[in-house]
Amino acid sequence: MSLKGKVALVTGSTSGIGLGIARALAAEGADIMLNGFGDAAQIEALRSDIAASHGGKVGYSGADISRPEQIAGMVAEAVKTLGSVDILVNNAGIQFTANVEDFPDERWDQIIAINMSGVFHGMKAAIPGMKAKGWGRIINIASAHGLVASAQKVAYVAAKHGVLGMTKVAAIELANAGVTVNAICPGWVLTPLVEKQLHDRAEKDGKTVEQETHDLVAEKQPMVKFTTPEQIGGLAVFLCSDAAATITGTPLSIDGGWVAQ
Ligand code: NAD
């Protein structure tokens, strides 16, 4: 239990990758502040299940990551109820696909607000407490799309490239403050965010979901295999460990070889 006594705030942790990371950090002994949308009863079931499985404290904030004042409020609430924010995982994110000329302005604004500006506001709110304690870990969930582009994902690719930029800036600023700042760049992970893309593509291409699943992964990754939320959780735990104390300002790919090409 290497993270006993630490508090981790994971945005967008009611589903998918964020939930995998929250569970992995809880398994190492961290107290957790969950965040995200969803059915209240299901979220409460998740919260109490994580608390019961690992014995730490688990809180929940329904803060909307597109709203800066709610992000600051969530960090303040974590400090008040759990004692601090030692580990911040900026993970909340959404997707929308269309060509640039057809991309709705409101979708652009929403993706930039959640996937990019939310990371800035989260870091801004959490950094003073980490600096005061002389220890902190910031893990920004970017994407292979933080390093390379795909068609029809203009807002997502712009946001994820922006996340890598701000990861480097914060890492430099905090280099001697005991706080590391890194980005994880996953390839395909089978979560509700990707399931929606799969079903849309299968319908458009007239394929079965099974065929489309293979084709979607193979189109981008030499390794035709999804990464799991648990594997990303394992990488987040490593980044919080002492072995990773000098890894900072770096995008860590976990993508079946996607960006090696
Ligand atoms: P998901 O849809 O399963 O989960 C997204 C989470 O974010 C949910 O908990 C949702 O409630 C929350 N969320 C959405 N909008 C929010 C808002 N305004 N405020 C607060 N919470 C909000 O998606 P996922 O696939 O687990 O994605 C998580 C992150 O991983 C995203 O940043 C995504 O871009 C990134 N990512 C995913 C993949 C993939 O293949 N799934 C690959 C690379 C990167």
Side-chain angles (χ1 to χ4, degrees):
M1 298 279 257
S2 59
L3 298 176
K4 215 159 176 54
K6 305 288 191 208
V7 177
L9 166 53
V10 186
T11 71
S13 47
T14 52
S15 167
I17 292 172
L19 181 57
I21 293 172
R23 285 192 191 281
L25 296 173
E28 288 300 316
D31 293 329
I32 305 290
M33 181 62 106
L34 295 170
N35 159 256
F37 297 153
D39 173 75
Q42 278 176 11
I43 293 173
E44 174 50 28
L46 271 180
R47 194 203 62 73
S48 56
D49 175 56
I50 297 173
S53 306
H54 305 295
K57 287 188 228 151
V58 183
Y60 165 72
S61 162
D64 180 343
I65 300 303
S66 70
R67 306 280 298 274
E69 74 287 357
Q70 292 193 21
I71 297 173
M74 171 179 64
V75 170
E77 191 190 332
V79 172
K80 193 169 155 207
T81 58
L82 300 172
S84 57
V85 174
D86 307 294
I87 299 162
L88 172 66
V89 183
N90 287 304
N91 164 80
I94 57 168
Q95 178 62 284
F96 184 82
T97 57
N99 286 332
V100 174
E101 70 269 30
D102 302 323
F103 212 91
D105 292 352
E106 59 279 10
R107 292 287 191 177
W108 167 270
D109 289 343
Q110 197 188 18
I111 291 178
I112 296 299
I114 297 169
N115 296 18
M116 192 177 83
S117 300
V119 177
F120 160 71
H121 292 293
M123 294 199 296
K124 184 175 177 177
I127 283 170
M130 293 179 180
K131 277 171 93 170
K133 283 180 86 171
W135 194 93
R137 293 285 186 270
I138 298 175
I139 301 171
N140 297 326
I141 305 306
S143 168
H145 284 120
L147 296 160
V148 294
S150 295
Q152 276 124 31
K153 295 189 175 176
V154 65
Y156 189 87
V157 169
K160 296 299 187 181
H161 276 68
V163 167
L164 290 192
M166 70 180 86
T167 298
K168 293 175 192 174
V169 172
I172 293 166
E173 290 179 6
L174 296 167
N176 294 299
V179 181
T180 67
V181 189
N182 291 291
I184 293 180
C185 297
W188 289 119
V189 185
L190 193 55
T191 67
L193 181 140
V194 169
E195 274 160 20
K196 185 181 177 313
Q197 292 176 63
L198 266 175
H199 283 91
D200 292 351
R201 276 177 53 140
E203 203 178 297
K204 191 169 138 267
D205 300 347
K207 294 184 191 166
T208 65
V209 171
E210 200 179 28
Q211 264 175 329
E212 192 65 64
T213 303
H214 173 274
D215 294 353
L216 175 110
V217 178
E219 179 186 304
K220 298 291 183 186
Q221 295 189 190
M223 189 186 291
V224 189
K225 200 181 231 182
F226 285 105
T227 297
T228 65
E230 292 72 24
Q231 288 167 330
I232 298 179
L235 182 51
V237 167
F238 169 69
L239 284 173
C240 294
S241 75
D242 212 37
T246 61
I247 298 178
T248 200
T250 298
L252 290 115
S253 290
I254 175 162
D255 68 358
W258 182 329
V259 304
Q261 300 165 101

